[in-house]
Amino acid sequence: MTHQTIIAQTVAAIKRLPPEKAEEIAEFAAFLQSRFEEQQLARGIQQLNAESAAFDFLKSEEELYSADDLVEKYDA
């Protein structure tokens, strides 16, 4: 089903409903749109973070401690 067909069927169904039910559908559509936009924003932020070089300094950080520095050692 195409996007235009879905819209046309939805509009036709809303036209058959009383105004208070049509308002509920409008509020739900606004909620879905808001949630979709938040998800898109979160994905965009994750993508920017993944492509960013902001944390590259952590990759070249020297090891400050080793197992030799432990005072007590426990066998697992």
Coordinates of all heavy atoms in Angstrom, one line a residue:
M1 N 0.9 -1.2 0.0 CA 0.0 0.0 0.0 C 0.9 1.2 0.0 O 1.8 1.3 0.8 CB -0.9 0.0 1.2 CG -2.0 0.9 1.2 SD -3.2 0.9 2.6 CE -3.5 -0.8 2.9
T2 N 0.6 2.2 -0.9 CA 1.4 3.4 -1.0 C 1.1 4.4 0.2 O 0.0 4.3 0.8 CB 1.2 4.1 -2.3 OG1 -0.1 4.6 -2.4 CG2 1.5 3.1 -3.5
H3 N 2.0 5.3 0.3 CA 1.8 6.3 1.4 C 0.5 7.1 1.1 O -0.3 7.4 2.0 CB 3.0 7.2 1.4 CG 3.1 8.2 2.5 ND1 2.9 9.5 2.4 CD2 3.3 8.0 3.8 CE1 3.0 10.1 3.6 NE2 3.3 9.2 4.5
Q4 N 0.3 7.5 -0.2 CA -0.9 8.3 -0.5 C -2.2 7.5 -0.3 O -3.2 8.0 0.2 CB -0.8 8.7 -2.0 CG 0.1 9.9 -2.2 CD -0.3 11.1 -1.4 OE1 0.4 11.5 -0.5 NE2 -1.5 11.7 -1.7
T5 N -2.1 6.2 -0.6 CA -3.3 5.4 -0.3 C -3.6 5.3 1.2 O -4.8 5.4 1.6 CB -3.1 3.9 -0.9 OG1 -2.7 4.0 -2.3 CG2 -4.3 3.1 -0.7
I6 N -2.6 5.1 2.0 CA -2.8 5.1 3.4 C -3.4 6.4 3.9 O -4.4 6.4 4.7 CB -1.5 4.8 4.1 CG1 -1.0 3.4 3.8 CG2 -1.6 5.0 5.7 CD1 0.5 3.1 4.2
I7 N -2.9 7.5 3.4 CA -3.4 8.8 3.8 C -4.9 9.0 3.4 O -5.7 9.4 4.2 CB -2.5 9.9 3.3 CG1 -1.2 9.9 3.9 CG2 -3.2 11.3 3.5 CD1 -0.1 10.8 3.3
A8 N -5.2 8.6 2.2 CA -6.5 8.7 1.7 C -7.5 7.9 2.5 O -8.6 8.3 2.8 CB -6.6 8.3 0.2
Q9 N -7.1 6.6 2.8 CA -8.0 5.8 3.6 C -8.2 6.3 5.0 O -9.3 6.2 5.5 CB -7.4 4.4 3.6 CG -7.6 3.6 2.3 CD -7.0 2.2 2.4 OE1 -6.3 1.8 3.3 NE2 -7.2 1.4 1.3
T10 N -7.1 6.8 5.6 CA -7.2 7.4 6.9 C -8.1 8.6 7.0 O -8.9 8.7 7.9 CB -5.8 7.7 7.5 OG1 -5.0 6.5 7.4 CG2 -5.9 8.2 8.9
V11 N -7.9 9.5 6.0 CA -8.8 10.7 5.9 C -10.2 10.3 5.7 O -11.1 10.9 6.4 CB -8.3 11.6 4.8 CG1 -9.3 12.8 4.6 CG2 -6.9 12.2 5.2
A12 N -10.5 9.3 4.9 CA -11.9 8.9 4.7 C -12.5 8.3 6.0 O -13.6 8.6 6.3 CB -11.9 7.9 3.6
A13 N -11.7 7.6 6.7 CA -12.2 7.0 7.9 C -12.4 8.1 9.0 O -13.4 8.0 9.7 CB -11.2 6.0 8.5
I14 N -11.5 9.1 9.1 CA -11.7 10.2 10.0 C -12.9 11.0 9.7 O -13.7 11.4 10.6 CB -10.4 11.0 10.0 CG1 -9.2 10.3 10.6 CG2 -10.7 12.3 10.8 CD1 -7.9 11.0 10.5
K15 N -13.2 11.2 8.4 CA -14.4 12.0 8.0 C -15.7 11.3 8.5 O -16.7 12.0 8.7 CB -14.4 12.2 6.5 CG -13.4 13.2 6.1 CD -13.5 13.3 4.6 CE -12.5 14.4 4.1 NZ -12.5 14.6 2.6
R16 N -15.7 10.0 8.7 CA -16.9 9.3 9.1 C -17.1 9.3 10.6 O -18.1 8.8 11.1 CB -16.9 7.8 8.6 CG -17.0 7.7 7.1 CD -17.1 6.3 6.6 NE -16.0 5.4 7.0 CZ -15.0 5.2 6.3 NH1 -14.8 5.7 5.1 NH2 -14.0 4.3 6.7
L17 N -16.1 9.7 11.4 CA -16.1 9.7 12.8 C -16.7 11.0 13.4 O -16.6 12.1 12.7 CB -14.7 9.5 13.4 CG -14.0 8.2 13.1 CD1 -12.6 8.2 13.6 CD2 -14.8 7.1 13.8
P18 N -17.2 11.0 14.6 CA -17.6 12.2 15.3 C -16.4 13.1 15.6 O -15.3 12.5 15.7 CB -18.3 11.7 16.5 CG -18.0 10.3 16.7 CD -17.5 9.8 15.4
P19 N -16.6 14.4 15.8 CA -15.5 15.3 16.0 C -14.5 14.9 17.2 O -13.3 15.0 17.1 CB -16.1 16.6 16.3 CG -17.4 16.5 15.6 CD -17.9 15.1 15.7
E20 N -15.1 14.4 18.3 CA -14.3 14.0 19.4 C -13.4 12.8 19.1 O -12.2 12.8 19.6 CB -15.1 13.8 20.7 CG -16.1 12.6 20.6 CD -17.4 13.0 20.0 OE1 -17.6 14.2 19.6 OE2 -18.3 12.1 20.0
K21 N -13.8 11.9 18.3 CA -13.0 10.8 17.9 C -11.9 11.2 16.9 O -10.8 10.7 17.0 CB -13.8 9.6 17.3 CG -14.8 9.0 18.3 CD -14.0 8.4 19.4 CE -14.9 7.7 20.4 NZ -14.2 7.2 21.6
A22 N -12.3 12.1 16.0 CA -11.3 12.6 15.1 C -10.2 13.4 15.8 O -9.0 13.3 15.4 CB -12.0 13.6 14.1
E23 N -10.6 14.1 16.9 CA -9.6 14.8 17.7 C -8.6 13.8 18.4 O -7.4 14.1 18.5 CB -10.3 15.7 18.7 CG -9.4 16.5 19.5 CD -10.1 17.5 20.5 OE1 -11.3 17.6 20.4 OE2 -9.4 18.1 21.3
E24 N -9.2 12.7 18.8 CA -8.3 11.7 19.4 C -7.3 11.2 18.4 O -6.1 11.0 18.8 CB -9.1 10.5 19.9 CG -9.9 10.7 21.2 CD -10.6 9.5 21.6 OE1 -10.1 8.3 21.5 OE2 -11.8 9.6 22.1
I25 N -7.7 11.0 17.2 CA -6.8 10.5 16.2 C -5.7 11.6 15.9 O -4.5 11.3 15.7 CB -7.6 10.1 14.9 CG1 -8.4 8.9 15.2 CG2 -6.6 9.9 13.7 CD1 -9.4 8.5 14.0
A26 N -6.1 12.8 15.9 CA -5.2 13.9 15.6 C -4.1 14.0 16.7 O -2.9 14.2 16.5 CB -5.9 15.3 15.5
E27 N -4.6 13.8 18.0 CA -3.7 13.8 19.1 C -2.7 12.6 19.1 O -1.5 12.7 19.3 CB -4.4 13.8 20.4 CG -5.2 15.1 20.7 CD -6.1 15.0 21.9 OE1 -6.2 13.9 22.5 OE2 -6.7 16.0 22.3
F28 N -3.2 11.5 18.7 CA -2.4 10.3 18.6 C -1.4 10.4 17.4 O -0.2 10.1 17.6 CB -3.2 9.0 18.3 CG -2.4 7.8 18.3 CD1 -1.8 7.3 19.4 CD2 -2.4 7.0 17.1 CE1 -1.0 6.1 19.3 CE2 -1.6 5.8 17.0 CZ -1.0 5.4 18.1
A29 N -1.8 11.0 16.3 CA -0.9 11.3 15.2 C 0.2 12.2 15.6 O 1.4 12.0 15.3 CB -1.6 11.8 14.0
A30 N -0.1 13.2 16.4 CA 0.9 14.2 16.9 C 1.9 13.5 17.9 O 3.1 13.7 17.8 CB 0.2 15.4 17.6
F31 N 1.4 12.6 18.7 CA 2.2 11.8 19.6 C 3.2 10.9 18.8 O 4.4 10.9 19.1 CB 1.3 10.9 20.5 CG 2.1 9.8 21.2 CD1 3.0 10.1 22.2 CD2 1.9 8.5 20.8 CE1 3.7 9.1 22.8 CE2 2.6 7.5 21.4 CZ 3.5 7.8 22.4
L32 N 2.7 10.2 17.8 CA 3.5 9.4 17.0 C 4.6 10.2 16.2 O 5.8 9.8 16.2 CB 2.7 8.6 15.9 CG 1.8 7.5 16.5 CD1 1.0 6.9 15.3 CD2 2.6 6.4 17.1
Q33 N 4.2 11.3 15.7 CA 5.2 12.2 15.0 C 6.3 12.6 16.0 O 7.5 12.6 15.7 CB 4.5 13.4 14.4 CG 5.4 14.3 13.7 CD 4.7 15.5 13.0 OE1 3.6 15.7 13.3 NE2 5.5 16.2 12.2
S34 N 5.9 13.0 17.2 CA 6.8 13.5 18.2 C 7.8 12.4 18.6 O 9.0 12.6 18.7 CB 6.1 14.0 19.5 OG 7.0 14.3 20.5
R35 N 7.3 11.2 18.8 CA 8.1 10.0 19.1 C 9.1 9.7 18.0 O 10.2 9.4 18.2 CB 7.2 8.8 19.5 CG 8.0 7.7 20.1 CD 7.1 6.6 20.6 NE 6.5 5.9 19.4 CZ 5.7 4.9 19.5 NH1 5.3 4.4 20.7 NH2 5.1 4.3 18.5
F36 N 8.6 9.7 16.8 CA 9.4 9.5 15.6 C 10.5 10.5 15.5 O 11.7 10.1 15.3 CB 8.6 9.5 14.3 CG 9.4 9.3 13.1 CD1 9.9 8.1 12.7 CD2 9.6 10.4 12.2 CE1 10.6 8.0 11.5 CE2 10.4 10.3 11.1 CZ 10.9 9.0 10.7
E37 N 10.2 11.8 15.7 CA 11.3 12.8 15.7 C 12.3 12.6 16.7 O 13.5 12.8 16.5 CB 10.6 14.2 15.8 CG 9.8 14.6 14.5 CD 9.0 15.8 14.7 OE1 8.9 16.4 15.8 OE2 8.4 16.3 13.7
E38 N 11.9 12.2 17.9 CA 12.8 12.0 19.0 C 13.7 10.8 18.7 O 14.9 10.8 19.0 CB 12.1 11.7 20.3 CG 11.4 12.9 20.9 CD 10.5 12.6 22.1 OE1 10.5 11.4 22.6 OE2 9.8 13.5 22.6
Q39 N 13.2 9.7 18.1 CA 14.0 8.6 17.7 C 15.0 9.0 16.6 O 16.2 8.6 16.7 CB 13.1 7.5 17.2 CG 12.3 6.8 18.3 CD 11.3 5.8 17.7 OE1 11.0 5.8 16.5 NE2 10.7 5.0 18.6
Q40 N 14.6 9.8 15.7 CA 15.5 10.3 14.6 C 16.6 11.1 15.2 O 17.7 11.0 14.8 CB 14.7 11.1 13.5 CG 13.7 10.2 12.7 CD 14.5 9.2 11.9 OE1 14.5 8.0 12.2 NE2 15.0 9.6 10.8
L41 N 16.2 12.0 16.1 CA 17.2 12.8 16.8 C 18.2 12.0 17.5 O 19.5 12.2 17.4 CB 16.6 13.8 17.7 CG 17.5 14.7 18.5 CD1 18.3 15.6 17.5 CD2 16.7 15.6 19.4
A42 N 17.8 11.0 18.3 CA 18.7 10.1 19.0 C 19.6 9.3 18.1 O 20.8 9.2 18.3 CB 17.9 9.1 19.9
R43 N 19.1 8.8 16.9 CA 19.9 8.1 16.0 C 21.0 9.1 15.4 O 22.1 8.7 15.2 CB 19.1 7.6 14.8 CG 18.3 6.3 15.2 CD 17.7 5.6 14.0 NE 16.7 4.7 14.4 CZ 15.4 4.8 14.3 NH1 14.9 5.9 13.7 NH2 14.6 3.9 14.8
G44 N 20.6 10.3 15.1 CA 21.5 11.3 14.6 C 22.6 11.6 15.6 O 23.8 11.7 15.2
I45 N 22.3 11.7 16.8 CA 23.3 12.0 17.9 C 24.2 10.8 18.0 O 25.4 11.0 18.1 CB 22.6 12.3 19.2 CG1 21.9 13.7 19.1 CG2 23.6 12.3 20.4 CD1 21.0 14.0 20.3
Q46 N 23.7 9.6 18.0 CA 24.5 8.4 18.0 C 25.5 8.3 16.8 O 26.6 8.0 17.0 CB 23.6 7.1 18.1 CG 22.9 7.0 19.4 CD 21.9 5.8 19.3 OE1 21.6 5.3 18.3 NE2 21.4 5.4 20.5
Q47 N 25.0 8.7 15.7 CA 25.8 8.7 14.5 C 26.9 9.7 14.6 O 28.1 9.4 14.2 CB 24.9 8.9 13.2 CG 25.7 8.8 11.9 CD 26.1 7.3 11.7 OE1 25.5 6.4 12.1 NE2 27.2 7.2 10.9
L48 N 26.6 10.9 15.0 CA 27.6 11.9 15.2 C 28.6 11.5 16.2 O 29.8 11.7 15.9 CB 26.9 13.2 15.6 CG 26.2 14.0 14.6 CD1 25.5 15.2 15.2 CD2 27.1 14.5 13.5
N49 N 28.2 10.9 17.2 CA 29.1 10.5 18.3 C 30.1 9.4 17.7 O 31.2 9.3 18.0 CB 28.4 10.0 19.5 CG 29.3 9.7 20.7 OD1 30.3 10.4 20.8 ND2 28.9 8.9 21.6
A50 N 29.5 8.5 17.0 CA 30.3 7.3 16.4 C 31.3 7.9 15.4 O 32.4 7.3 15.3 CB 29.4 6.3 15.7
E51 N 31.0 8.9 14.7 CA 31.9 9.4 13.7 C 32.8 10.5 14.2 O 33.8 10.9 13.6 CB 31.1 10.0 12.5 CG 30.3 9.0 11.7 CD 29.3 9.6 10.7 OE1 29.2 10.8 10.7 OE2 28.7 8.8 10.0
S52 N 32.6 10.9 15.4 CA 33.4 12.0 16.0 C 34.7 11.5 16.5 O 34.9 10.3 16.8 CB 32.6 12.5 17.2 OG 33.4 13.4 18.0
A53 N 35.7 12.4 16.5 CA 37.0 12.1 17.0 C 37.2 12.6 18.4 O 38.3 12.6 19.0 CB 38.1 12.7 16.1
A54 N 36.1 12.9 19.1 CA 36.2 13.5 20.4 C 36.8 12.6 21.5 O 37.5 13.1 22.4 CB 34.8 14.0 20.9
F55 N 36.6 11.3 21.3 CA 37.2 10.4 22.3 C 38.4 9.6 21.8 O 38.7 8.6 22.5 CB 36.0 9.5 22.8 CG 34.9 10.2 23.5 CD1 33.7 10.5 22.9 CD2 35.1 10.6 24.8 CE1 32.7 11.1 23.6 CE2 34.1 11.3 25.5 CZ 32.9 11.6 24.9
D56 N 38.9 10.0 20.8 CA 40.1 9.3 20.2 C 41.3 9.3 21.2 O 42.1 8.4 21.1 CB 40.5 9.9 18.9 CG 39.6 9.5 17.7 OD1 38.7 8.6 18.0 OD2 39.8 10.1 16.6
F57 N 41.4 10.3 22.0 CA 42.5 10.4 23.0 C 42.5 9.2 23.9 O 43.5 8.8 24.4 CB 42.4 11.7 23.8 CG 41.3 11.7 24.8 CD1 41.5 11.3 26.1 CD2 40.1 12.2 24.4 CE1 40.4 11.4 27.0 CE2 39.0 12.3 25.3 CZ 39.2 11.9 26.6
L58 N 41.3 8.5 24.1 CA 41.3 7.4 25.0 C 41.9 6.1 24.4 O 42.4 5.3 25.1 CB 39.8 7.0 25.3 CG 39.0 8.1 26.2 CD1 37.6 7.7 26.3 CD2 39.7 8.2 27.5
K59 N 42.0 6.1 23.1 CA 42.6 5.0 22.4 C 44.1 4.9 22.6 O 44.7 3.9 22.6 CB 42.3 5.0 20.9 CG 40.8 4.8 20.6 CD 40.5 4.9 19.1 CE 39.0 4.8 18.8 NZ 38.7 5.1 17.5
S60 N 44.7 6.1 22.7 CA 46.2 6.2 22.8 C 46.6 6.4 24.3 O 47.8 6.7 24.5 CB 46.7 7.3 22.0 OG 46.2 8.6 22.4
E61 N 45.7 6.2 25.2 CA 46.0 6.5 26.6 C 46.9 5.3 27.1 O 46.7 4.1 26.9 CB 44.8 6.5 27.4 CG 45.0 6.9 28.9 CD 43.7 7.1 29.6 OE1 42.6 6.6 29.2 OE2 43.7 7.7 30.7
E62 N 48.0 5.7 27.8 CA 48.9 4.7 28.3 C 48.3 3.9 29.5 O 47.5 4.4 30.2 CB 50.3 5.3 28.7 CG 50.1 6.2 29.9 CD 51.4 6.9 30.3 OE1 51.8 7.8 29.6 OE2 52.0 6.4 31.3
E63 N 48.8 2.7 29.6 CA 48.3 1.9 30.8 C 49.0 2.4 32.0 O 50.3 2.5 32.1 CB 48.7 0.4 30.6 CG 47.8 -0.3 29.6 CD 46.4 -0.5 30.1 OE1 46.2 -0.7 31.3 OE2 45.5 -0.4 29.2
L64 N 48.2 2.8 33.0 CA 48.8 3.3 34.3 C 49.1 2.2 35.3 O 50.0 2.4 36.1 CB 47.8 4.4 34.9 CG 47.6 5.6 34.0 CD1 46.5 6.5 34.7 CD2 48.8 6.4 33.8
Y65 N 48.3 1.2 35.2 CA 48.5 0.1 36.2 C 48.5 -1.2 35.5 O 48.0 -1.4 34.4 CB 47.3 0.1 37.2 CG 47.2 1.4 37.9 CD1 46.2 2.3 37.6 CD2 48.0 1.8 38.9 CE1 46.0 3.6 38.2 CE2 47.9 3.0 39.6 CZ 46.9 3.9 39.3 OH 46.8 5.0 39.9
S66 N 49.1 -2.2 36.1 CA 49.2 -3.6 35.6 C 48.8 -4.5 36.8 O 48.7 -4.1 37.9 CB 50.5 -3.9 35.0 OG 51.5 -4.0 36.1
A67 N 48.8 -5.8 36.5 CA 48.6 -6.8 37.5 C 49.7 -6.8 38.6 O 49.4 -7.1 39.7 CB 48.4 -8.2 36.9
D68 N 50.8 -6.3 38.2 CA 51.9 -6.2 39.2 C 51.7 -5.2 40.3 O 52.3 -5.3 41.3 CB 53.3 -5.9 38.5 CG 53.6 -7.0 37.5 OD1 53.3 -8.2 37.7 OD2 54.3 -6.7 36.5
D69 N 50.8 -4.2 40.0 CA 50.5 -3.2 41.0 C 49.5 -3.6 42.1 O 49.4 -2.9 43.0 CB 50.0 -2.0 40.3 CG 51.0 -1.4 39.3 OD1 52.2 -1.3 39.7 OD2 50.6 -1.0 38.2
L70 N 48.9 -4.8 41.9 CA 47.9 -5.2 42.9 C 48.6 -5.6 44.2 O 49.6 -6.3 44.2 CB 47.2 -6.4 42.3 CG 46.3 -6.1 41.1 CD1 45.7 -7.4 40.6 CD2 45.2 -5.2 41.4
V71 N 48.0 -5.2 45.3 CA 48.5 -5.6 46.6 C 48.0 -7.0 46.9 O 48.8 -7.8 47.4 CB 48.0 -4.6 47.7 CG1 48.4 -5.1 49.0 CG2 48.5 -3.2 47.4
E72 N 46.8 -7.3 46.6 CA 46.2 -8.7 46.9 C 45.7 -9.2 45.5 O 45.0 -8.5 44.8 CB 45.1 -8.7 47.9 CG 45.6 -8.3 49.3 CD 44.5 -8.5 50.3 OE1 43.7 -9.4 50.2 OE2 44.5 -7.6 51.2
K73 N 45.9 -10.5 45.3 CA 45.4 -11.1 44.1 C 44.5 -12.2 44.5 O 44.8 -13.0 45.4 CB 46.5 -11.6 43.2 CG 47.4 -10.5 42.7 CD 48.5 -11.0 41.8 CE 49.5 -9.9 41.5 NZ 50.6 -10.3 40.6
Y74 N 43.3 -12.3 43.8 CA 42.3 -13.4 44.0 C 42.2 -14.2 42.8 O 42.2 -13.8 41.7 CB 41.0 -12.7 44.4 CG 41.0 -11.9 45.6 CD1 41.2 -10.5 45.5 CD2 40.8 -12.4 46.9 CE1 41.2 -9.7 46.7 CE2 40.8 -11.7 48.0 CZ 41.1 -10.3 47.9 OH 41.1 -9.5 49.0
D75 N 42.1 -15.5 43.0 CA 41.9 -16.5 41.9 C 40.4 -16.5 41.6 O 39.6 -16.7 42.6 CB 42.4 -17.9 42.3 CG 43.9 -17.9 42.4 OD1 44.6 -17.1 41.6 OD2 44.4 -18.6 43.2
A76 N 40.1 -16.4 40.4 CA 38.6 -16.4 40.0 C 38.1 -17.8 39.9 O 38.7 -18.8 39.8 CB 38.5 -15.7 38.7

